[in-house]
Amino acid sequence: MKQPELGQKISELRKSKGFTQEELVEQCNISVRTIQRIEAGEVTPRSYTIKTILSALDYDLERIQTEESRVAKEFKKLFLLDIDDSKEVGFLIKQLSIAWISGIVYFILGFAEITVDYYRYTEDLMVTNNIAYIILKIGMLASVILFTRGFILTGKIFKNYLLRITAFIFIFIGVLFYIYDILSLYIVDFDYQFVLGAEAVTYGVVGILFGISVLRLKNGLGTLATVTGIFEIITYGFMATIILSLIGLVLLTPTIILEIILLYKVSQILKAKQKEIALG
């Protein structure tokens, strides 16, 4: 565990024990100033000092490390960031199937989202109530996360690190913007033009990198990867300009279709491999 998390943990443990900093000092022979700096996150103490402090607080260092490790592992498991190479092919096929099916859901819901947002932002008219709007946005967010996870997995399979990192960034910025969409229902001073501009530029820049990473799949996926990558670069290139973002929005339709087909093809390649293993 790194600072400032370690300092915060020590402070929490000390307070839960009812110790003042001075009382803790008496237990472990460390100056008050040192304790203050550790808890404030100003310094990273030596392992011996950490063990001494935690011993005085009746807390095991390995327990902290285990807690941190468990959270990290669950996070990586959720977003398919850390997959054991020995994972069964069936698991990978299942995750990819979830991804391309979620892509179809995302594609269909996208038309409803575009319609609702068009009236909201251009006509200042909500065609749905707030609950329906929130449900739509949550549905879109869930589908885009599951869909994009497929590209993280594809990047792992084809050893394409750029694809994995750009796909994860897509998920991250998607979470941010969808949360903002929901919160904006209750924010009076909502400058939607600024947010839409920032969204177009952010997605545009990341999308171009994403397209480049998809092009790198051509050795394994052939022409499909090349065509998809080119569409990605052109689509998100238009979005990044803001002025021509409407063209990018139109091109997003065939781009998403190509992405769905690409993930489906990867799942079929794995299914063929699974049959080979079964027959061999």
Side-chain angles (χ1 to χ4, degrees), residues 93-108:
I93 294 172
K94 179 181 178 182
Q95 295 301 319
L96 284 168
S97 296
I98 291 173
W100 67 259
I101 291 171
S102 296
I104 295 174
V105 174
Y106 170 67
F107 180 77
I108 294 172

Side-chain angles (χ1 to χ4, degrees), residues 104-122:
I104 295 174
V105 174
Y106 170 67
F107 180 77
I108 294 172
L109 288 179
F111 291 104
E113 181 187 38
I114 290 173
T115 302
V116 171
D117 282 345
Y118 171 80
Y119 282 103
R120 180 186 179 191
Y121 298 135
T122 62

Side-chain angles (χ1 to χ4, degrees), residues 72-104:
K73 285 181 179 178
E74 289 302 318
F75 179 83
K76 291 179 178 180
K77 181 179 178 181
L78 176 63
F79 292 106
L80 303 179
L81 290 170
D82 187 19
I83 300 175
D84 189 346
D85 291 330
S86 65
K87 274 286 186 183
E88 294 182 3
V89 178
F91 170 82
L92 304 179
I93 294 172
K94 179 181 178 182
Q95 295 301 319
L96 284 168
S97 296
I98 291 173
W100 67 259
I101 291 171
S102 296
I104 295 174

Side-chain angles (χ1 to χ4, degrees), residues 7 10 27 39 51 70 83 90-92 107 119 131-132 149 152 176 192 196-197 203 226 231 247 252:
I10 290 174
Q27 296 283 332
E39 291 190 359
K51 290 178 181 179
R70 187 181 300 118
I83 300 175
F91 170 82
L92 304 179
F107 180 77
Y119 282 103
I131 299 299
R149 282 168 78 246
I152 294 176
L176 290 181
Y192 73 88
L196 290 179
Y203 274 112
T226 302
F231 263 88
I247 298 175
L252 195 58

